[in-house]
Amino acid sequence: MECRSIKELIVRYSSGDLEEAEKVLVDEHVRDCTGCEQYFIRSEKLWGTLDAWDEIEPEGEFVTKFWNNVSVQENKAKAGFFGWLKGFKPNLAVSGALATVFIVGIFTFALLGPGTLDGVFTSGDEKDEIILSELDRATNSEASDLLAIYGPWDNSFDANGGMN
Amino acid sequence: MQSDIELMLRTKAGDDGAFSELMKRHYKGVVNYIYRFTNMRDNSEDLAQEVFLRVYRSAKNYRPEAKFSTWLYKIATNVSLTHLKGRPKNLSLDEIEETRGDIEDRRVPITDDIIYRKEMKEHIFKALEFLPEREKVAIMLCKYEGFSYEEVSEVLECTVGAVKAYVHRGRMKLIDILEPHLAKGGGYGV
Ligand SMILES: [Zn+2]
């Protein structure tokens, strides 16, 4: 058997994974081969050498620390929305300014928007209404005359001076 | 004494005391596994906390299909690998020494044995770093955690035959790398 194959068997020997028949093979080869004998010694020493890396003793209260970590995380999650709001605290002035602009905007629109005419009706507005009504009536009369070419048209609007 | 699986099922049902008991059983092993995996003493306890936090958070979905310890060390392996990948590779021994912050050794009188072990620790870590991931995990679990090949196969999600191959190939490489420290008569033998 070649030394390379024997070395593979030697490692399995040291790992406790070799059948008795294979062990005999290794023992016989090692007796006559110095190189493999040295390899056998190194292989047998390997596992024990790895023990030179000592265990450490963890410092502090591991379990207590764990539950502290858990409660810190849970508090963070609970904070959720409120935490988000807290984050805006330093920008309170900006938020306040924006809110003011928004509210003032709404009031300005309410005072000067189209709904204002319905809210405050003055005598000037009444005159405007009469002019607009007359204009409307004249337009209707004109339109009716023009549309007459298409057949009989209801002119009752004109006759009655308003809607039936 | 209740089994790990029983304690984990109690945790799943909302019993935190059961999880404390589980941690008491396993935290030292997990801390040391991560310590040897990363060679970073300072971080090993924090990373072990992360491992148990992940276990605790996934307790709701726990199904006792495999041994608790194999599940635990699978998570510990993932956390260690993620940590190592985020760290600059191929640190020299001096750099490892600086980043490690190994304070324990400075508190006891320095003897030849301590010097030997300290040096060997660095040689072993570098040798293990040289191994492919799966060979390193298989060797570490077998050697330091006393796992059987079957248990390692659950962690690595492979066959027992594959685990044996990883261990044997890894051992052969370690024999070559650590050759000067395995000479006849020197160091620590079996
Ligand atoms: Zn030979």
Side-chain angles (χ1 to χ4, degrees):
Chain A
M1 215 172 189
E2 279 186 28
C3 291
R4 175 76 205 170
S5 307
I6 289 292
K7 281 176 179 171
E8 282 174 19
L9 288 181
I10 286 172
V11 167
R12 286 171 55 201
Y13 195 129
S14 303
S15 308
D17 298 326
L18 222 53
E19 301 291 329
E20 280 305 313
E22 291 172 309
K23 278 185 184 174
V24 173
L25 246 165
V26 171
D27 288 338
E28 282 174 359
H29 182 98
V30 163
R31 212 175 295 141
D32 304 321
C33 178
T34 319
C36 287
E37 188 200 7
Q38 290 301 311
Y39 193 84
F40 184 85
I41 292 165
R42 290 200 289 274
S43 177
E44 287 289 291
K45 287 184 84 173
L46 175 70
W47 229 226
T49 301
L50 296 182
D51 284 330
W53 194 341
D54 291 320
E55 276 201 335
I56 52 166
E57 198 59 50
E59 293 161 10
E61 287 291 317
F62 190 90
V63 176
T64 310
K65 200 176 164 190
F66 175 83
W67 292 117
N68 287 342
N69 284 342
V70 169
S71 61
V72 164
Q73 285 204 353
E74 278 172 1
N75 285 340
K76 267 187 197 168
K78 270 180 201 165
F81 180 69
F82 296 106
W84 178 79
L85 274 183
K86 272 182 192 170
F88 277 86
K89 246 185 181 174
N91 294 325
L92 211 61
V94 178
S95 308
L98 285 172
T100 309
V101 167
F102 183 68
I103 291 162
V104 167
I106 286 173
F107 273 100
T108 310
F109 186 76
L111 287 169
L112 305 175
T116 315
L117 290 172
D118 299 328
V120 188
F121 200 80
T122 62
S123 58
D125 294 328
E126 197 178 3
K127 281 176 193 164
D128 289 344
E129 274 290 280
I130 294 163
I131 293 164
L132 281 169
S133 299
E134 279 172 2
L135 185 69
D136 191 37
R137 213 169 292 144
T139 313
N140 279 336
S141 165
E142 232 170 70
S144 299
D145 292 344
L146 285 169
L147 289 168
I149 55 164
Y150 296 106
W153 198 256
D154 182 14
N155 280 330
S156 58
F157 187 86
D158 266 352
N160 301 326
M163 285 181 78
N164 291 327
Chain B
M1 195 174 81
Q2 284 193 303
S3 72
D4 288 348
I5 287 176
E6 283 170 327
L7 288 172
M8 198 56 204
L9 289 172
R10 274 174 54 197
T11 304
K12 187 181 178 175
D15 181 352
D16 285 346
F19 197 69
S20 291
E21 183 58 36
L22 262 177
M23 278 192 286
K24 279 177 199 162
R25 282 184 197 179
H26 294 285
Y27 82 86
K28 197 182 168 189
V30 172
V31 168
N32 272 286
Y33 178 69
I34 293 171
Y35 166 52
R36 286 185 173 122
F37 213 110
T38 61
N39 197 24
M40 299 242 178
R41 191 190 168 114
D42 285 352
N43 287 338
S44 54
E45 276 189 56
D46 288 340
L47 292 174
Q49 288 276 346
E50 193 185 321
V51 170
F52 282 103
L53 210 57
R54 284 194 196 186
V55 172
Y56 181 67
R57 295 282 181 231
S58 50
K60 272 177 262 168
N61 308 317
Y62 178 70
R63 266 180 261 128
E65 284 161 355
K67 268 190 82 175
F68 173 77
S69 56
T70 59
W71 183 46
L72 179 66
Y73 279 86
K74 192 190 284 183
I75 295 172
T77 302
N78 286 337
V79 167
S80 303
L81 285 172
T82 307
H83 184 74
L84 279 182
K85 276 169 188 164
R87 195 194 65 172
K89 272 229 140 192
N90 300 323
L91 291 178
S92 71
L93 283 184
D94 287 343
E95 284 168 326
I96 290 168
E97 191 70 27
E98 280 169 20
T99 53
R100 197 164 29 88
D102 205 341
I103 46 168
E104 187 200 52
D105 291 353
R106 288 172 200 153
R107 284 183 290 183
V108 290
I110 296 168
T111 62
D112 286 349
D113 182 59
I114 287 172
I115 291 166
Y116 166 77
R117 283 174 175 270
K118 206 174 171 191
E119 280 175 11
M120 275 312 296
K121 180 170 83 80
E122 301 304 340
H123 291 307
I124 293 166
F125 175 70
K126 287 212 107 182
L128 288 168
E129 276 279 82
F130 183 79
L131 301 182
E133 237 164 52
R134 292 183 152 246
E135 290 176 21
K136 179 183 173 180
V137 172
I139 295 255
M140 288 194 67
L141 288 173
C142 284
K143 169 63 200 168
Y144 294 119
E145 308 310 318
F147 274 36
S148 67
Y149 292 143
E150 285 77 10
E151 288 168 332
V152 177
S153 76
E154 281 181 14
V155 174
L156 290 176
E157 292 176 356
C158 64
T159 63
V160 171
V163 172
K164 283 185 184 178
Y166 293 141
V167 171
H168 297 153
R169 281 207 296 265
R171 282 178 88 129
M172 287 187 88
K173 285 171 194 159
L174 289 180
I175 290 169
D176 290 340
I177 300 165
L178 295 171
E179 188 185 347
H181 311 285
L182 301 170
K184 202 175 183 177
Y188 279 72
V190 271

